[in-house]
Amino acid sequence: MHRDRGGLCFAPARVSCASLVCIGVTDRYGGDPSLKGRYDEPLKGCDAIIHSSTPISPMLSGKDFDGERDILNPGMEGTHELLDSILKCETRPSIQCLVLTSSMSAAAPTPEPSVKDESHWSDDAGQLARGNYYGCLKTRQEKLCHEWATSQKGRTLSDIFRFVAILPTMIIGAPVGYDQAGFSYTPSGTMGYLHGWLTMGKPNAPNDSMSFIDVHDCAAMHVAALDKADASGRYFSLVESWHWNDILSTLKELYGGLPPFALYEGEKCVPTQFNLSRMNSLGVDVKDVRTILKDSVSFFSEVGALK
């Protein structure tokens, strides 16, 4: 049985778990007593949980925005609430796995190592000081779940309980159901950023690099983490990082309407390097960067988002 209780941006066609609940822990502004206990009923009888969503305030600028109030605090409160609900669930012994959608923002140490792997963590205090509330939230959220799982396994939780964190980079790709009748689409989120690059342009290529992951490949990694009994801990979710010169040049090949841009002409930085051996152990055959970009541009064209 597959029970989807909201908050998951992709819908796996098959999972081997007898019961799966997908929960969006998104109490944006917190403090509403009517929402307490909202996860208790969906958890009953479940073998696995995917905690996939994070609060993103609609007010990303201006005097009304408070990053700690609007992003950090509700995200942490929602995660604490989910973990507490698991511990008090009457069918808790059946719960064998929690998969968290974390982020590569939780694996961004400074200075950057020559090759980045899952042992690298961000400095959440530094992220908070810089006003990177989303990054701070993802780092603290993941650390909380790691510590919680370690302390509860074999005590309140089953001896075979597993915690897995999937750390995606910029997720792009066509959403599920876009080819169905009545589908309506407005670019938003990370696809909104890509759409903005294509339509409004990026006048100058930064001397920096960027990585991507296709949304369906990211979804498949979550399912693989559930399916593989030996999967635990952190797993990156990305393909190789490209310099912005290569990203913009490829987008120009794929979409002739891309506004003019200037390539970076100085000594180019080396794109971020990753050790993807743990990610590859999940057995997901991921799309390469060009295919990810090509499929996303094709999707925009199909739904009329590009002229």
Side-chain angles (χ1 to χ4, degrees):
M1 179 173 64
H2 172 205
R3 293 188 290 165
D4 185 348
R5 298 291 178 168
L8 192 62
C9 62
F10 38 72
R14 182 198 64 81
V15 291
S16 64
C17 301
S19 182
L20 166 68
V21 60
C22 306
I23 293 182
V25 185
T26 59
D27 185 1
R28 289 177 184 269
Y29 299 104
D32 185 348
S34 69
L35 296 176
K36 292 297 182 182
R38 64 195 136 158
Y39 308 124
D40 296 349
E41 186 63 29
L43 288 176
K44 291 180 181 178
C46 286
D47 296 331
I49 303 159
I50 296 177
H51 171 1
S52 64
S53 59
T54 293
I56 299 295
S57 170
M59 301 177 295
L60 293 180
S61 62
K63 63 181 181 180
D64 292 330
F65 173 68
D66 183 319
E68 292 192 45
R69 179 199 66 196
D70 297 340
I71 294 179
L72 179 59
N73 292 343
M76 292 303 294
E77 290 166 7
T79 303
H80 274 290
E81 184 183 351
L82 172 61
L83 301 182
D84 290 344
S85 293
I86 293 173
L87 294 183
K88 67 182 183 182
C89 178
E90 62 187 48
T91 59
R92 181 184 65 247
S94 72
I95 300 175
Q96 299 174 11
C97 185
L98 168 63
V99 179
L100 170 72
T101 307
S102 184
S103 168
M104 286 302 294
S105 64
T110 53
E112 186 173 275
S114 57
V115 179
K116 192 180 293 188
D117 62 33
E118 286 85 352
S119 69
H120 295 111
W121 284 84
S122 298
D123 173 11
D124 57 283
Q127 289 173 313
L128 182 60
R130 295 191 298 274
N132 182 0
Y133 301 105
Y134 174 81
C136 179
L137 168 59
K138 299 310 288 187
T139 303
R140 290 185 178 178
Q141 197 177 50
E142 190 185 340
K143 286 182 176 180
L144 168 64
C145 290
H146 275 288
E147 293 166 0
W148 173 86
T150 300
S151 66
Q152 298 296 335
K153 181 177 179 179
R155 298 175 57 226
T156 314
L157 299 173
S158 164
D159 289 336
I160 60 172
F161 182 86
R162 298 180 293 117
F163 169 65
V164 180
I166 303 295
L167 284 68
T169 182
M170 182 171 176
I171 305 173
I172 57 176
V176 170
Y178 83 92
D179 54 351
Q180 297 178 3
F183 178 83
S184 178
Y185 182 76
T186 299
S188 62
T190 49
M191 284 293 275
Y193 287 124
L194 177 60
H195 186 262
W197 301 341
L198 292 166
T199 57
M200 294 182 288
K202 206 169 180 68
N204 299 292
N207 187 27
D208 202 351
S209 62
M210 187 83 183
S211 57
F212 305 89
I213 188 68
D214 178 79
V215 62
H216 304 281
D217 293 342
C218 185
M221 290 179 189
H222 285 71
V223 175
L226 295 178
D227 278 344
K228 290 176 64 67
D230 60 347
S232 65
R234 314 178 89 195
Y235 295 86
F236 287 168
S237 179
L238 55 92
V239 288
E240 63 179 321
S241 188
W242 275 17
H243 191 278
W244 271 99
N245 278 5
D246 300 314
I247 294 172
L248 291 176
S249 296
T250 300
L251 289 177
K252 182 64 176 179
E253 293 175 19
L254 297 172
Y255 177 58
L258 185 75
F261 59 90
L263 295 175
Y264 182 77
E265 295 184 349
E267 182 178 351
K268 293 195 302 182
C269 70
V270 176
T272 305
Q273 303 295 300
F274 303 98
N275 179 345
L276 299 180
S277 58
R278 274 186 60 80
M279 184 192 84
N280 292 335
S281 73
L282 292 175
V284 177
D285 185 15
V286 299
K287 295 179 180 178
D288 59 43
V289 178
R290 182 181 178 84
T291 302
I292 292 172
L293 296 175
K294 179 177 180 294
D295 288 353
S296 296
V297 170
S298 296
F299 161 70
F300 283 141
S301 297
E302 285 185 50
V303 297
L306 291 178
K307 296 180 180 179

